[in-house]
Amino acid sequence: MRPFTYERARSVADALRRTVGATDDGASAAYLAGGTNLIDHLRLGIRETDRLIDVSHLDLTEVTELEDGGLRVGALARNADVAAHPLVRRRFPVVSAAMLAGASGQLRNMATMGGNLLQRTRCVYFQDPSTPCNKREPGSGCSAIEGLGTYNALIGASDACVAVHPSDLCVALAALDVTVVVEGPLGERRIDFADLHRLPGDHPEQDTTLDRSELITTIEIAGPGFAGHSRYRKLRERASYAFATVSVAAALDVQDGRVADVRLGLGGVAHRPHRARRAEDALRGGPATHEAYAAAIAAELEQARPVPTTPTRCSSCSAPSRRCWTR
Ligand SMILES: Cc1cc2nc3c(=O)[nH]c(=O)nc-3n(C[C@H](O)[C@H](O)[C@H](O)COP(=O)(O)OP(=O)(O)OC[C@H]3O[C@@H](n4cnc5c(N)ncnc54)[C@H](O)[C@@H]3O)c2cc1C
Ligand code: SF4
């Protein structure tokens, strides 16, 4: 592991000053939140930094109400605290359930909201510095395309990278109206959640649209109004402590047996958290039946590009989807 300095930021402005200062000096800097992802990467040599800026003690941990009925969640709130928060459980049960479906109790006690959004892929080759990986080392190649492809992306992959996004929380946020608020050298920036994560294209090394020095301060969850009726279902290889094979976040407004409105997110299948707009369009205004839900998921997966190593992934989507409708 390359040596680095440890610095504890006293405020958002102090964190930015230290990070921008490092860059101006030709050094690199990284924000440390819960450390559950970043520390592993430093240890494995996947990431190197000259300065580690600890932001975990900053006063960005509150859950407060927005005027429109939504919630403002501090980026440094711990996943366990947000999942258990009464307002989150009542207004956005899908968010609470998604976080409880991730990692373990101990990890959720450490992991933060901002860190969860920015966690990196769990592609086994990305985590093994002895193998080629364009995301870790641009231009080195992609070992997953011809290799172990159990978790390869069906949607949004490129010739340079076929990894899936690992976060459960992000699948729930993809189905809602979410704004990510960041603070950078030029001030505050508000990013629509759909614009936070990038598709890999020719540059899979860039996961997000954030500038290196930008700090996520807040996550605003605004709706939709019917998000009180929402669920998260995750299919995985074992009952806990495993990333999603496939997951579904669903918010549903059913009136007189018809789907008045619907929001759907899919996890485990795409390079970034995936909002299933084709399925939503297929369902909206139609009957709330199992047949309609199955047809909607099939419509969404018409864009899927399964590779030989992932033959059953499309059919895997139907089980968690069905469980969302029936509970
Ligand atoms: C064994 C194991 C199992 C797991 N299982 C799951 C699972 O099933 N589902 C799931 O969703 N997740 C899972 N996780 C991932 C876990 O949720 C993430 O590691 C965690 O959410 C990262 O949050 P953190 O606060 O620890 O981030 P850190 O490790 O501190 O940071 C991660 C990245 O985000 C950056 N960062 C952090 N906060 C900010 C901020 N506010 N602004 C700008 N940059 C920031 C850091 O610089 C770093 O690049 C698992 C992790 C482990 C180790
Ligand atoms: S899929 Fe992406 S992360 Fe995995 S080896 Fe290929 S380039 Fe690396």
Side-chain angles (χ1 to χ4, degrees), residues 121 123 125-126 132-135 142-144 160-163:
T121 182
C123 172
Y125 304 103
F126 176 75
C133 168
N134 288 322
K135 196 180 265 301
C142 172
S143 302
C161 179
V162 294

Side-chain angles (χ1 to χ4, degrees), residues 63-66 69-71 82 84-93:
V63 177
T64 53
E65 295 181 73
L66 292 167
L71 297 176
V82 178
H85 198 287
L87 284 172
V88 177
R89 292 180 59 177
R90 190 159 59 245
R91 294 187 192 173
F92 301 105

